[in-house]
């Protein structure tokens, strides 16, 4: 191979790697609500809110082949996205999620304590997602607390686009909500415990 051909090949590879490098990714989260049931809520109104208690509001990072780091940020409030999915799950139990009021009973507060998505460059790219949620419910002076933690792993041949990162995070959120909003919590909100 001639020297010119080698230089041309190296330049082409450098351009290909530069093309793979990305700027910040903005993700629009819309996780699916978890499957719930049975319908034990009898249409009861539940004061409800979701709080994002994380110190860092970014969703994570993506490592480019050149070693540069891309921040993954949410387009909207993460707590709001989780709240929409959790409200649908409560409706699946036949509750009517309403406006939060600290004096209202029953009421439910969900806190996002961790949410981290990391993409590690390599062959293949490794996607790692972790989320931790805590919930506290109050009914007639009694309190019920529960926690959920979900992790998810995936691999991609190429650097994942925003849609792939969004999908991975949404799956982890749905998995954590499935653990958190389980039958014992629903029974407590229904006054059956």
């Amino acid at each position: 191979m001639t020297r010119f051909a080698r230089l041309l090949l190296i330049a082409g590879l450098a351009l290909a790697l530069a093309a793979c490098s990305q700027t910040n990714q903005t993700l629009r989260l819309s996780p699916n609500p978890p499957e719930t049931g049975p319908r034990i809520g009898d249409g009861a109104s539940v004061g409800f809110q979701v709080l994002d208690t994380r110190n860092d509001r970014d969703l994570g990072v993506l490592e480019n082949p050149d070693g540069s780091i891309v921040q993954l940020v949410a387009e909207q409030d993460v707590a709001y996205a989780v709240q929409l999915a959790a409200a649908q799950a409560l409706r699946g139990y036949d509750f009517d999620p309403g406006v939060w009021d600290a004096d209202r009973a029953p009421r439910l507060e969900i806190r996002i304590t961790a949410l981290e998505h990391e993409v590690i460059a390599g062959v293949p790219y490794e996607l790692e997602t972790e989320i931790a949620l805590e919930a506290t419910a109050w009914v007639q002076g009694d309190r019920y607390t529960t926690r959920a933690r979900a992790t998810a792993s995936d691999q991609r041949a190429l650097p994942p686009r925003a849609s792939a990162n969004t999908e991975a995070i949404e799956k982890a959120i749905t998995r954590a909500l499935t653990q958190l909003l389980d039958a014992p919590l629903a029974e407590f909100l229904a006054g059956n415990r």
Side-chain angles (χ1 to χ4, degrees):
M1 185 180 275
T2 69
R3 183 177 175 157
F4 178 72
R6 282 189 203 140
L7 287 175
L8 195 55
L9 179 62
I10 291 171
L13 288 173
L15 284 173
L17 282 175
C20 290
S21 295
Q22 302 177 33
T23 59
N24 289 359
Q25 282 187 6
T26 302
L27 313 180
R28 180 159 186 78
L29 300 176
S30 183
N32 290 322
E35 298 282 330
T36 55
R39 297 180 60 78
I40 59 174
D42 199 29
S45 180
V46 175
F48 178 57
Q49 72 175 348
V50 175
L51 303 174
D52 190 349
T53 61
R54 300 174 300 143
N55 291 330
D56 183 3
R57 298 300 173 97
D58 287 345
L59 297 173
V61 294
L62 180 151
E63 180 186 359
N64 281 314
D66 63 3
S68 64
I69 299 295
V70 171
Q71 291 298 121
L72 305 175
V73 296
E75 183 176 305
Q76 81 284 36
D77 182 22
V78 174
Y80 181 70
V82 172
Q83 185 161 335
L84 290 177
Q88 282 297 105
L90 290 172
R91 287 185 189 97
Y93 284 119
D94 196 26
F95 290 108
D96 179 22
V99 177
W100 172 262
D101 181 347
D103 296 324
R104 186 176 187 173
R107 68 185 183 275
L108 173 65
E109 179 181 88
I110 296 175
R111 292 169 302 286
I112 304 167
T113 58
L115 175 56
E116 182 67 28
H117 180 72
E118 183 178 19
V119 181
I120 302 164
V123 181
Y125 279 78
E126 299 285 339
L127 286 73
E128 300 289 336
T129 310
E130 181 178 0
I131 181 169
L133 303 175
E134 295 178 356
T136 304
W138 293 267
V139 175
Q140 299 170 353
D142 292 330
R143 185 172 75 175
Y144 179 92
T145 302
T146 186
R147 292 177 175 81
R149 181 174 295 275
T151 57
S153 298
D154 196 5
Q155 295 180 339
R156 301 286 171 134
L158 298 173
R161 296 179 184 261
S163 59
N165 287 315
T166 299
E167 180 183 333
I169 294 169
E170 288 174 346
K171 283 182 182 177
I173 291 171
T174 300
R175 189 176 296 162
L177 284 173
T178 299
Q179 295 173 22
L180 193 74
L181 301 174
D182 60 3
L185 176 60
E187 291 284 352
F188 179 83
L189 287 172
N192 298 337
R193 290 186 60 178

